[in-house]
């Protein structure tokens, strides 16, 4: 731990980060009981933790699992990450209770675009913030590499299938080798052979029908759902025509998503171990065949193994530290509006073991509780089986006034709505009031009483941004109280529950989320969406949870509707399958899967001098 | 150092790598005199070396600088990297002479495509080869991120310039801020202001003409030479139309290159330090203005500082080890056909200081001597000022028979041609005969005598692939002999010289390379190429060296012409400027700047088991 000396006024995030020399990362790892052979350093201040920790500690009891979520934010965000850090600094550096914060690695798109970094801020942040915000240990790049290998492999296969006869294709895929001229199947072909029910080991023994089925993925270009990705805000890549001017092959329209919103990232975030990662990658559906509309998977394309190899290190969470020297595990990616957008199951599970029964893992889910929290529970907790002990909803007077178009009382409905949503999952709910210098006493009190009125166990002012963990000690005490068995029974929450069972059909799930969580009156479907939902139910994906893509700026699908809109309709425009991640994504309203840059992006501020000192990141 | 026990037959590269436990990287760094605070570990077996080593050792004398190049290779390669490693293992592990091999980081495109990894092979390779071939320490990804940030920034600026009035643009770029409503210029705008000769610090004090010039980059979409990049073999991305279906902005044709062939990679490879990197990035020309055809640079776009920040760690070379525990510095990227394709100036310079006056830095230049070596001398040594002590040309009986269409004697002309090319730079030249099991004694002798006849100082058989450094001890002794002052004077090479002076006009440089190095009879130019060359001369880029893009499969521009073709013409199809890297690229014949995947790529072989063991990489 490190004792902070907080300055007033609070310097810039980058200044704070640069003025505090971090502890060697081994000094963060050791008190957690991580063995030296279980960590790979990446420079002095960060390391990756081996997954073997989970095996070694499989019998240890889990700590308390706390989710930090928020009200519907303004475009600048309301400080969820600072609350995660402030709260865990309060536990770890002020109350002497073991704690780990689990955060997502920021995307370099927003870092250089409009939002800036995502390391928290003020005296509640991760250091070195430059490392946190730039590349980190390369996980997002690895996700991009795996994603784009699959995209190239798919297009390549289509190209060669269209140019070559069955004989040519067979000779190239299974060439005669060695002095005996023997053909063999490659390792990456075995998955498809198994799916086709072919058990012969000798390619020459396939029947003509089997050979045809083995050779021809027969992908319908119109069916392809797999896109390429980059970790940059680049609206020109939303829709592109690839393959122009090739002598062979045909151009086709496709597009790029931002890497962190890719299915590969979700696979990594939801995988329980390396074997599960490999299996999920193989299940990724990239499109379907012309004849019969059979799904074509990454396993069929033959590169799921290579994708897993590209992700082998990315699957290990990265350990860093807060400004007060408390541990932070960084893993997986953000963008809870268009992705599931939570830190990884592996990092949370590792954290829960490492902090021990008395300890606390504090994690966050992106944007407002309507998207981040809903997905955290219905998608992530459903997949991991982990049960949260309490939810913290971050609220600011500034944002609630924004929701009330200047009048706080008229904006409180947004906070009240999110509190009631959290209680539907039967989790003790606490409001963290992220205090800003200009907030009046009346406003704070008003926010407190509205919180309690809506069912929150407590509503606590926090000043962790100016004061570090000391400013969140009251919040930590409220969280601790909420996690006692007595509090849970007194509050009659009766224990965590999911919003819907697996068995509910997909349309039922969408409607449950839209009505119970967004407050919609009705749900409509485009014919495209309806067809896709029906096809997914028939194909056996009806048991998947839904992971809606929706604006984060409103409870509704219209970003201009503030507060807690009523009588609105949710329009399901499209539906996508993420068979590897294990969810179905209804696309609600207009939502972009790769952002653009504004006129005056943050990169204008950023530079480095000849000695390596960075300026202008925040 | 580590004593090898070589097995017969030689197991697969991956098997050798997995069966040898590497030494902790600190044990490799320490004997070189690298201080603990000068290294950042990336796991136990690799670390990045701080550039401060160069400052600390600035007064130390340089070691001997040895370039390994080759004959015109077959598509599988003739073993240059294994010779680099075998030779440095011979020096370091068998002769007790300090040595460092400096290698390029492989591109993941070929690793999963047709070629496989590039860690050397057999008992002359870098370990762990999985780390070497996969992501390494993320440099190529960082290059891609910097490249693609500039691409997105350029398109964004064009979009907003076309949508906004001068007033709107001014208000967004320099918004009024604070209680006084004062406008300021961002750090990233200062470069453009300086270029425009504007010294006011207050945006409101610009004259209308100055404001117009500041606000409007006015980029002509037809002039844009900057492309996006990815580190994958994906032919569908060669030409793409971006920006389809955007409400604002216009679609345009552009394309992707493979990351390692990008100008950003060349900038990193040629930069002398962080300050030089930052300055070079700012000089990158992305296109020109509609009116007046003025160059638009990354500095004008305002993101050169952010690009440098993205590259701050990538600029540090990565230290690894050979199978015999000798040090290997890995930096920058391959593809000497379409890029300059050599390891970095920084890594070589660092290596030369670290090995000391008696020591040897062994580096390589890609493909045949006509492209890799020519660029190594005329581009890289011109930029660094470093002088090579000897050149090693790698030859195989197999490839020379291929050049002779089955008859060795008829293929020797290729080797003789490359030896004579090397001697034009007045560097002592040695032939390394990379022996294969089936090679006959007669063939080897024939190759030796041809080498000596063409002017090589020595021609030495090597068996480092089967035997490690022991199999290259004779080669090392020949290299050592060539580096003595006596040998240099006896050989009357008279010391290293460049092929052409800076002052020679660009067309003269192209013709010098085409005739003296490729053996062409004449050079023709497309009208596009001629216009560009004239424009570049007028714009003041005539003093740059040329870095030709040409097939690596022939001395000519036609990959089917084997041996040492005569009476051929080199057609200059296009010309590109790399103002940041500091060279001009004539595009000779048909050459692709992003490869495609074959029907049966290597990814079919690659997989990982649940314990993390990788299979199928080679």
């Amino acid at each position: 731990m490190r004792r902070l000396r907080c300055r007033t006024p609070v310097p810039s995030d980058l200044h704070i980060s640069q003025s505090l020399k971090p502890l060697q990362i081994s000094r963060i790892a050791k008190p957690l009981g991580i063995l030296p052979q279980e960590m790979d350093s990446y420079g002095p201040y960060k390391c990756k933790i081996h997954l073997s920790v989970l095996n070694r500690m499989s019998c240890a009891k889990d700590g308390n699992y706390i989710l930090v979520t928020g009200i519907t934010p303004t475009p600048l965000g309301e400080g969820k990450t600072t609350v995660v850090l402030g709260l865990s600094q309060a536990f770890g550096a002020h109350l002497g209770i073991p704690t780990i914060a689990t955060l997502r690695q920021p995307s370099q798109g927003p870092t250089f675009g409009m939002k800036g970094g995502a390391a928290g801020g003020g005296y509640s942040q991760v250091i070195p913030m430059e490392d946190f915000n730039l590349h980190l240990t390369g996980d997002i790049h690895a996700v991009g590499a795996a994603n784009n290998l699959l995209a190239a492999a798919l297009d390549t296969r289509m190209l060669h299938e269209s140019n070559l006869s069955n004989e040519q294709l067979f000779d190239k895929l299974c060439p005669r080798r060695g002095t005996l001229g023997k053909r063999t199947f490659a390792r990456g072909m075995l998955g498809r052979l198994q799916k086709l029910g072919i058990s012969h080991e000798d390619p020459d023994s396939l029947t003509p029908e089997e050979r045809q089925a083995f050779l021809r993925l027969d992908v319908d270009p119109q069916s392809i759902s797999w896109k390429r990705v980059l970790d940059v805000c680049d609206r020109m890549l939303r829709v592109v025509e690839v393959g122009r001017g090739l002598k062979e092959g045909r151009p086709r329209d496709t597009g790029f998503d931002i890497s962190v919103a890719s299915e590969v990232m979700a696979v990594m975030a939801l995988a329980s171990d390396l074997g599960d990662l490999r299996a999920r990658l193989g299940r990724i559906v990239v499109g379907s065949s012309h004849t019969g509309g059979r799904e074509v998977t990454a396993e069929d394309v033959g590169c799921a193994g290579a994708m897993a190899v590209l992700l082998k290190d990315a699957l290990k969470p990265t350990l860093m530290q807060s400004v007060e020297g408390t541990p932070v595990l960084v893993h997986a990616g953000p963008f809870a509006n268009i992705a599931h957008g939570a830190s990884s199951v592996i990092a949370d599970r590792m954290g829960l073991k490492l902090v021990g029964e008395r300890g606390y893992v504090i994690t966050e889910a992106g944007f407002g509780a309507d998207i981040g929290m809903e997905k955290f529970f219905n998608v992530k907790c459903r997949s991991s089986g982990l049960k949260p002990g309490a939810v913290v909803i971050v609220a600011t007077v500034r944002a609630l006034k924004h929701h009330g178009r200047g009048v706080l009382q008229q904006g409180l409905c947004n906070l009240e709505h999110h509190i009631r949503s959290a209680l539907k999952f039967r989790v003790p709910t606490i409001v963290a009031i992220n205090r800003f210098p200009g907030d009046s006493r009346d406003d704070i009190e008003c926010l407190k009483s509205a919180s309690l009125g809506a069912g929150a166990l407590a509503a606590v002012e926090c000043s962790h941004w100016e004061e570090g963990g000391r400013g969140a000690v009251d919040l930590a005490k409220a969280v601790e109280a909420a996690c006692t068995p007595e509090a849970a029974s007194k509050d009659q929450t009766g224990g965590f529950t999911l919003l819907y069972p697996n068995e509910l059909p997909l349309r039922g799930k969408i409607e449950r989320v839209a009505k119970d969580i967004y407050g919609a009156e009705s749900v409509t479907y485009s014919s495209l969406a309806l067809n896709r939902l029906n096809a997914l139910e028939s194909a056996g994906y009806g048991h998947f949870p839904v992971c809606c893509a929706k604006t984060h700026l409103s409870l509704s699908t219209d970003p201009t509707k503030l507060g807690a809109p009523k009588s609105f309709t949710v329009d399901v425009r499209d539906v996508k399958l993420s068979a590897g991640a294990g969810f179905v994504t209804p696309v609600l309203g207009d939502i972009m899967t790769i952002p653009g840059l504004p006129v005056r992006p943050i990169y204008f501020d950023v530079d480095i001098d000849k000695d390596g000192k960075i300026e202008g990141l925040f």
Side-chain angles (χ1 to χ4, degrees), chain A:
Chain A
M1 305 304 148
R2 158 205 295 283
R3 183 155 306 180
L4 274 184
R5 285 197 205 153
C6 301
R7 285 172 48 190
T8 318
V10 177
S12 77
D13 297 349
L14 182 61
H15 184 276
I16 292 174
S17 176
Q18 289 177 342
S19 65
L20 295 170
K21 190 171 161 62
L23 304 171
Q24 293 280 324
I25 198 63
S26 55
R27 291 188 53 195
I28 306 295
K30 199 173 171 194
L32 293 170
I34 297 169
L35 308 175
Q37 64 271 29
E38 289 170 339
M39 50 187 283
D40 286 337
S41 294
Y42 280 61
Y45 307 129
K46 50 191 192 290
C47 69
K48 279 192 169 280
I49 310 293
H50 294 197
L51 303 194
S52 57
V53 169
L54 286 172
N55 297 332
R56 177 172 61 79
M57 302 190 74
S58 60
C59 297
K61 289 206 171 163
D62 283 355
N64 299 286
Y65 193 28
I66 310 300
L67 175 70
V68 175
T69 181
I71 57 169
T72 303
T74 63
L76 297 172
E78 304 315 311
K80 268 193 314 296
T81 311
T82 65
V83 170
V84 170
L85 286 159
L87 183 55
S88 90
Q89 290 169 220
F91 275 121
H94 297 268
L95 298 174
I97 296 173
T99 180
I100 292 178
T102 60
L103 294 179
R104 302 159 299 169
Q105 180 189 353
S107 162
Q108 287 176 178
T111 297
F112 290 106
M114 203 158 88
K115 188 164 180 266
Y123 289 102
S124 292
Q125 59 168 315
V126 186
I127 55 172
M129 74 89 95
E130 300 97 312
D131 289 33
F132 181 81
N133 286 314
L134 301 167
H135 308 302
L136 194 68
T137 47
D139 297 352
I140 294 176
H141 296 315
V143 164
N147 182 100
N148 295 334
L149 178 64
L150 176 54
L154 174 63
D155 270 314
T156 298
R157 182 63 175 254
M158 288 169 62
L159 176 83
H160 293 307
E161 281 191 32
S162 75
N163 292 338
L164 301 177
S165 68
N166 272 8
E167 282 61 39
Q168 290 171 320
L169 207 50
F170 190 56
D171 275 343
K172 299 231 179 207
L173 283 172
C174 302
R176 295 188 183 283
R177 279 188 183 154
T179 43
L180 297 176
K182 198 167 152 44
R183 299 185 198 272
T184 52
F185 291 120
R187 190 180 287 113
M189 298 169 183
L190 303 181
R192 177 158 178 86
L193 290 167
Q194 192 179 15
K195 176 172 159 180
L196 296 172
I198 301 173
S199 56
H200 323 295
E201 286 178 16
D202 177 5
D204 279 315
S205 71
L206 299 190
T207 66
E209 295 71 30
E210 285 173 339
R211 186 192 287 201
Q212 168 80 13
F214 166 67
L215 293 175
R216 300 279 167 189
L217 302 189
D218 183 33
V219 178
D220 175 4
Q222 297 295 326
S223 76
I224 296 175
S225 51
W226 197 251
K227 296 203 273 181
R228 289 167 177 81
V229 300
L230 273 178
D231 188 33
V232 61
C233 290
D234 191 345
R235 63 168 71 66
M236 294 294 275
L237 294 180
R238 273 178 202 149
V239 183
V240 302
E241 188 183 50
V242 297
R244 285 167 80 87
L246 281 183
K247 281 178 211 147
E248 306 150 330
R250 287 202 202 93
R252 65 179 187 86
D253 268 14
T254 178
F256 283 69
D257 290 337
I258 194 153
S259 305
V260 287
S262 66
E263 182 176 355
V264 176
M265 179 59 91
V267 162
M268 198 178 89
L270 294 170
S272 54
D273 55 33
L274 187 54
D276 186 38
L277 177 89
R278 171 65 186 82
R280 285 173 180 264
L281 291 170
R283 292 199 294 268
I284 287 173
V285 171
V286 293
S288 56
S289 65
H290 261 119
T291 46
R294 284 182 307 272
E295 287 153 3
V296 176
T297 64
E299 201 69 62
D300 290 320
V301 176
C303 71
M307 294 169 74
V309 165
L310 283 166
L311 292 168
K312 72 178 172 65
D313 292 323
L315 194 63
K316 300 170 192 158
T318 298
L319 181 67
M320 293 189 71
Q321 66 192 283
S322 72
V323 288
E324 294 188 73
T326 61
V328 179
L329 279 175
V330 191
H331 211 205
F335 279 82
N337 49 351
I338 53 178
H340 101 294
S343 178
S344 77
V345 167
I346 284 177
D348 287 357
R349 200 174 269 161
M350 196 178 268
L352 290 167
K353 295 296 182 199
L354 290 169
V355 297
E357 203 176 353
R358 265 186 74 227
Y360 287 80
V361 168
I362 324 283
T363 192
E364 67 176 328
F367 300 121
D370 54 323
I371 46 180
M373 179 191 75
E374 186 272 318
K375 293 173 183 182
F376 180 86
F377 289 148
N378 283 323
V379 178
K380 184 175 167 185
C381 290
R382 187 185 302 265
S383 175
S384 70
L386 295 172
K387 289 185 172 38
V391 167
V392 175
I393 298 181
V394 179
T396 63
V397 169
R398 179 188 71 170
L400 291 172
K401 279 188 178 166
H402 170 74
H403 281 292
R405 306 208 180 265
V407 183
L408 179 63
Q409 281 74 5
Q410 289 177 26
L412 290 172
C413 56
N414 185 271
L415 171 60
E416 290 159 349
H417 183 100
H418 287 300
I419 295 170
R420 284 191 286 265
S421 295
L423 294 175
K424 288 178 182 162
F425 295 89
R426 296 205 212 140
V427 183
T429 301
I430 292 161
V431 173
I433 305 170
N434 189 14
R435 203 180 64 194
F436 281 45
D439 294 350
S440 76
R441 183 53 32 205
D442 280 0
D443 285 347
I444 300 274
E445 291 305 324
C446 175
L447 208 156
K448 278 190 187 176
S449 79
S451 301
L452 299 176
L457 262 189
V460 188
E461 271 178 83
C462 306
S463 54
H464 50 276
W465 186 77
E466 302 101 307
E467 300 185 285
R470 191 160 62 88
V473 164
D474 290 346
L475 179 63
K477 288 181 177 164
V479 167
E480 203 182 3
C483 289
T484 56
E486 307 83 60
S489 66
K490 185 176 145 203
D491 194 49
Q492 299 179 325
T493 50
F496 175 63
T497 185
L498 298 169
L499 191 69
Y500 54 77
N502 290 344
E503 298 71 39
L504 190 67
L506 292 169
R507 283 180 62 179
K509 288 169 182 161
I510 296 171
E511 283 162 35
R512 192 69 64 86
V513 171
K515 293 178 180 171
D516 284 9
I517 304 295
Y518 307 157
E521 193 170 87
S522 58
V523 178
T524 60
Y525 300 85
S526 72
S527 57
L528 173 75
L530 266 190
N531 289 340
R532 293 215 168 142
L533 285 168
N534 291 336
L536 290 173
E537 294 279 0
S538 314
Y541 294 111
H543 66 290
F544 275 173
V546 294
C547 180
C548 302
K550 182 183 83 76
T551 179
H552 58 285
L553 296 171
S554 170
L555 278 162
S556 77
T557 58
D558 175 354
T560 65
K561 284 194 177 151
L562 303 178
K566 302 271 170 235
S567 318
F568 64 90
T569 297
V570 163
D571 181 38
V572 184
R573 204 162 50 79
D574 196 358
V575 175
K576 293 173 184 169
L577 170 65
S578 294
F583 54 69
V584 166
T585 296
V587 181
L588 310 182
D590 277 330
I591 179 100
M592 296 301 180
T593 48
I594 185 166
L597 287 166
V599 180
R600 168 69 173 78
I602 284 165
Y603 58 68
F604 272 111
D605 300 310
V606 178
D607 215 328
I608 189 165
D609 71 13
K610 65 180 174 40
D611 302 316
K613 188 169 180 202
I614 294 175
E615 296 184 276
L617 268 188
F618 67 88

